[in-house]
Amino acid sequence: MPTKGKQASPTVLGRPTKGGEKVTDYPTLSLRIRPALKAQLTATSKVVNKTVSAVVAEALELYFSSLPEGHRKVMKGLAGLLDEADKAS
């Protein structure tokens, strides 16, 4: 029971963030992958001390940056249009 004049500190729910980034506001992506790939992804996240989400995000960024310039230019334009459509809805 709190003593008079003292307020109870608020309880923080969930796991602490890694790197201080609040990812709960990010959109969710679900996909199906082979069990061996999932195991490799989980092992990688533990070895590099990052969340699975962070490992996947970095891998996707590297993949996108490896695409030819023409593809990246089209993707950037299309992503901008899709982002605007999401914000409008």
Side-chain angles (χ1 to χ4, degrees):
M1 187 183 300
T3 60
K4 190 174 182 178
K6 281 191 170 182
Q7 289 184 346
S9 61
T11 303
V12 179
L13 301 176
R15 285 188 294 169
T17 59
K18 286 190 177 181
E21 197 171 5
K22 184 177 177 186
V23 296
T24 55
D25 295 332
Y26 290 2
T28 300
L29 171 68
S30 297
L31 59 125
R32 295 184 185 276
I33 58 175
R34 296 183 318 274
L37 186 56
K38 172 68 168 103
Q40 188 176 14
L41 182 58
T42 301
T44 300
S45 85
K46 291 183 185 313
V47 168
V48 299
N49 195 31
K50 293 183 179 183
T51 63
V52 169
S53 180
V55 172
V56 170
E58 284 185 31
L60 287 171
E61 288 171 0
L62 283 170
Y63 173 72
F64 295 150
S65 69
S66 74
L67 293 173
E69 178 63 32
H71 289 156
R72 289 196 312 264
K73 190 174 182 179
V74 172
M75 285 172 43
K76 186 176 181 179
L78 182 56
L81 291 173
L82 293 171
D83 188 40
E84 288 175 20
D86 282 346
K87 288 178 183 176
S89 61

